[in-house]
């Protein structure tokens, strides 16, 4: 059977004795990866664009505001601790903001906005028979509903994390420059002397993993078989909690492996 | 002449030894006892489920091997994707299976809307309306239109589509399906005892 199989995928049924939650999610991730060529189809690309807009563009203001607050808080605390020290400022910005908080904050905002929305949207589609209808029209729900969302949320997570880092680091520089009488140009040049390509690559990889995990976990809980609307809040709650858990576990693993 | 759709001694769930043949351009009604049998028969006909015994073929080949978009599906209440507009719903299988270009799809949609009795001035508003805002009747009409525009080799119709539809509309919808059949599409209407009576011959 081709990779565009539109038979009912067994992994999305209710948990049976041989089916484990994490196994099911891994299978959804694997199926989504195998079905990436589905992006060549116009309706799938439309879903991708909508997802990028919803998860990426519509989160810009929130991420910007949170990034600003993080930069402000972290550097204000640091300045209170060690005074005006451009070297310490940059090290803390790289260790805290670039390596950890940027990708993590982007992922948390994404869980709050997109994970819950995705799980509830897909759950409602399952209950209304829309997913069955897709299957019966020869349209694979995994190709049409999951693949573009996984890719969209992965790309959005990378972009949002990068944006959050820029805002937080920039805020940190400005706060230090104003409050501690340090030259902004010295801070910027010092920052680029310290940061390594490895750190930049690691943070991008981390963001991509977070985005993919949130989409897969939420998509899995959204697409699982349901029969009543009362199951929608349960699916949303599980999607949010398990997405957060997955993000923190992945953060721990990547941090230990890379640093 | 070889049958387009052939069920040969199919067993699955509550369906036992079902044999039927549907020729090109033919409309047949498969009437079953209850909801469960009907649901299984639909799943089998659209290739969503494999039979436990027997064989189902489309143009002599297993359903799995049929080209994408060769089977259309018209559900009872439209089966529309609620976050898409009616037009996007109607053309979704076409674009997904890469079957038609925009201009051709528009032309076909216009033709079938006329056949379904939609006035030309009401067509744009209907097609631009989000699926979630359509009435029950409009959702049924959009689902039927999607099947007509797709013009598949085999169109599987849930006969409950006609339940609760006013007689004049029911006649125009049936006439539209007959037009599609004349163009070579085979149509299988799957019904249960409680569904509205249909004028086509019963098979199976």
């Amino acid at each position: 059977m081709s990779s565009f199989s539109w038979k009912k995928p067994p992994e999305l049924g209710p948990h049976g004795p041989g089916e484990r939650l994490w196994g099911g999610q891994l299978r959804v991730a694997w199926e989504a990866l195998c079905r990436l060529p589905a992006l060549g189809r116009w309706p799938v690309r439309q879903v991708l664009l909508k997802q990028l807009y919803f998860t990426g563009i519509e989160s810009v203001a929130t991420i910007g505001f949170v990034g600003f607050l993080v930069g402000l808080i972290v550097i204000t605390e640091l300045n209170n601790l060690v005074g005006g020290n451009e070297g310490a400022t940059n090290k803390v910005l790289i260790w805290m903001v670039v390596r950890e908080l940027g990708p993590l904050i982007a992922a948390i905002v994404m869980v709050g906005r997109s994970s819950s929305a995705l799980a509830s949207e897909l759950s409602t589609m399952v209950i209304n028979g829309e997913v069955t209808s897709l299957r019966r029209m020869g349209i694979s729900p995994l190709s049409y509903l999951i693949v573009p969302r996984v890719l969209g949320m992965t790309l959005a997570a990378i972009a949002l994390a990068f944006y959050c880092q820029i805002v937080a680091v920039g805020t940190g520089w400005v706060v230090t420059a104003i409050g501690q009488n340090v030259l902004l140009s010295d801070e910027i040049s010092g920052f680029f002397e310290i940061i390594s390509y490895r750190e930049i690559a690691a943070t991008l990889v981390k963001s991509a993993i977070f985005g993919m995990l949130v989409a897969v976990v939420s998509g899995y809980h959204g697409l699982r078989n349901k029969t009543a609307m009362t199951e929608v809040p349960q699916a949303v709650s599980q999607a949010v909690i398990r997405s957060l858990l997955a993000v923190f576990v992945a953060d721990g693993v990547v941090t230990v492996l890379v640093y | 002449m070889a049958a387009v759709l052939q069920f040969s001694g199919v067993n699955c769930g509550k369906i036992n030894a079902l044999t039927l043949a549907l020729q090109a351009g033919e409309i047949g009604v498969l009437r079953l006892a209850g909801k469960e049998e009907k649901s299984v028969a639909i799943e089998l006909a659209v290739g969503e489920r494999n039979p436990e015994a027997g064989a189902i073929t489309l143009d002599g080949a297993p359903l799995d091997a049929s080209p994408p978009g060769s089977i259309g599906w018209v559900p009872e209440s439209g089966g529309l994707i609620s976050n898409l507009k009616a037009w996007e719903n109607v053309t979704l299988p076409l674009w997904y299976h890469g079957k038609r270009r925009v201009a051709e799809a528009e032309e076909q949609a216009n033709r079938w809307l006329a056949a379904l009795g939609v006035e030309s001035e009401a067509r744009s508003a209907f097609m631009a309306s989000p699926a979630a805002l359509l009435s029950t009747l409009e959702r049924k009409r959009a689902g039927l239109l999607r099947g007509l525009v797709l013009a598949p080799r085999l169109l599987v119709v849930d006969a409950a589509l006609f339940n609760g539809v006013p007689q004049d509309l029911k006649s125009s919808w049936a006439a539209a399906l007959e037009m599609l059949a004349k163009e070579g599409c085979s149509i299988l209407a799957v019904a249960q005892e409680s569904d509205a009576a249909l004028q086509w011959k019963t098979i199976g």
Side-chain angles (χ1 to χ4, degrees):
Chain A
M1 197 181 292
S2 75
S3 61
F4 288 113
S5 161
W6 39 278
K7 295 275 182 186
K8 190 174 184 176
E11 74 277 11
L12 299 179
H15 302 311
E19 186 182 1
R20 298 267 177 118
L21 174 71
W22 292 103
Q25 287 168 176
L26 277 174
R27 285 189 68 183
V28 171
W30 175 246
E31 290 276 345
L33 197 67
C34 292
R35 287 161 195 266
L36 274 178
L39 288 161
R41 296 165 192 252
W42 186 79
V44 182
R45 288 200 299 276
Q46 289 301 110
V47 179
L48 170 67
L49 293 177
K50 281 183 186 172
Q51 193 62 47
L52 280 172
Y53 178 79
F54 176 72
T55 307
I57 309 288
E58 288 195 337
S59 300
V60 163
T62 311
I63 292 281
F65 185 60
V66 176
F68 166 77
L69 289 176
V70 165
L72 183 74
I73 293 164
V74 168
I75 296 306
T76 303
E77 291 289 354
L78 176 78
N79 289 343
N80 285 340
L81 199 67
V82 298
N85 183 333
E86 157 249 311
T89 302
N90 279 330
K91 279 179 184 165
V92 167
L93 283 175
I94 290 168
W95 289 340
M96 290 285 290
V97 175
V98 175
R99 285 185 178 185
E100 289 302 324
L101 291 178
L104 212 50
I105 285 167
I108 290 169
V109 170
M110 214 161 73
V111 169
R113 288 189 84 250
S114 304
S115 169
S116 49
L118 176 56
S120 61
E121 183 190 9
L122 294 182
S123 298
T124 310
M125 288 181 78
V126 168
I127 290 163
N128 288 343
E130 294 172 32
V131 174
T132 303
S133 185
L134 282 175
R135 259 200 315 268
R136 288 180 179 175
M137 289 188 291
I139 297 172
S140 157
L142 283 170
S143 298
Y144 180 65
L145 298 174
I146 298 297
V147 169
R149 284 174 168 86
V150 170
L151 184 64
M153 287 172 80
T154 303
L155 294 175
I158 296 171
L160 289 175
F162 187 62
Y163 173 62
C164 182
Q165 288 161 338
I166 288 175
V167 173
V169 168
T171 306
W173 287 337
V174 171
V175 169
T176 309
I178 293 171
Q180 305 297 326
N181 204 21
V182 174
L183 273 179
L184 195 59
S185 56
D186 288 347
E187 287 188 274
I188 295 172
S189 58
F191 180 86
F192 286 107
E193 280 168 18
I194 298 171
I195 195 163
S196 67
Y197 285 116
R198 188 160 172 260
E199 278 162 326
I200 296 170
T203 195
L204 290 178
V205 169
K206 205 185 245 189
S207 307
I209 291 172
F210 291 173
M212 197 185 72
L213 281 173
V214 173
V216 166
V217 172
S218 312
Y220 172 80
H221 284 287
L223 272 191
R224 274 184 61 203
N225 282 348
K226 297 172 194 74
T227 49
M229 287 305 275
T230 49
E231 293 176 72
V232 176
Q234 292 169 6
V236 172
S237 162
Q238 284 179 339
V240 169
I241 295 294
R242 292 198 168 119
S243 294
L244 274 177
L245 262 177
V247 163
F248 279 102
V249 169
D251 192 20
V253 171
V254 174
T255 302
V256 167
L257 287 178
V258 176
Y259 304 116
Chain B
M1 191 166 59
V4 171
L5 178 70
Q6 177 95 49
F7 275 53
S8 309
V10 170
N11 283 352
C12 191
K14 284 193 169 179
I15 289 185
N16 287 312
L18 176 63
T19 296
L20 65 85
L22 200 60
Q23 309 295 331
E26 191 181 9
I27 305 181
V29 180
L30 176 61
R31 194 165 281 279
L32 297 151
K35 192 176 178 181
E36 200 178 325
E37 289 92 333
K38 179 176 148 182
S39 174
V40 172
I42 289 169
E43 286 174 1
L44 289 168
V46 299
E48 195 184 5
R49 187 166 173 169
N50 290 322
E52 289 153 12
I56 305 171
T57 58
L58 186 72
D59 286 323
L63 291 186
D64 276 354
S66 59
S70 53
I71 303 175
W73 159 241
V74 182
E76 174 184 357
S77 47
L80 306 183
I81 308 302
S82 48
N83 62 6
L84 297 180
K85 291 178 179 173
W87 165 249
E88 293 169 320
N89 266 292
V90 166
T91 53
L92 177 61
L94 280 180
W95 303 149
Y96 188 85
H97 298 305
K99 277 190 80 177
R100 285 224 175 99
R101 297 182 184 282
V102 178
E104 198 188 341
E106 276 183 18
E107 190 186 310
Q108 289 297 318
N110 251 320
R111 178 169 83 99
W112 288 116
L113 277 169
L116 294 174
V118 182
E119 301 293 333
S120 54
E121 54 272 19
R123 288 176 205 164
S124 299
F126 170 65
M127 292 302 245
S129 178
L133 299 182
L134 295 175
S135 67
T136 307
L137 208 59
E138 286 173 326
R139 293 174 73 87
K140 282 176 181 253
R141 185 167 62 197
L144 177 58
L145 179 63
R146 183 171 59 196
L148 294 168
V149 171
L150 180 66
R153 187 79 177 120
L154 168 72
L155 185 64
V156 181
V157 180
D158 185 338
L161 173 79
F162 294 96
N163 293 353
V165 176
Q167 190 53 45
D168 55 332
L169 270 185
K170 193 174 161 183
S171 303
S172 66
W173 291 9
L177 284 171
E178 282 164 8
M179 268 173 70
L180 183 70
K182 275 187 191 149
E183 293 171 13
C185 173
S186 302
I187 298 170
L188 178 69
V190 187
Q192 65 187 71
E193 289 304 334
S194 58
D195 286 334
L198 299 171
Q199 69 264 44
W200 303 301
K201 75 166 183 176
T202 300
I203 56 170

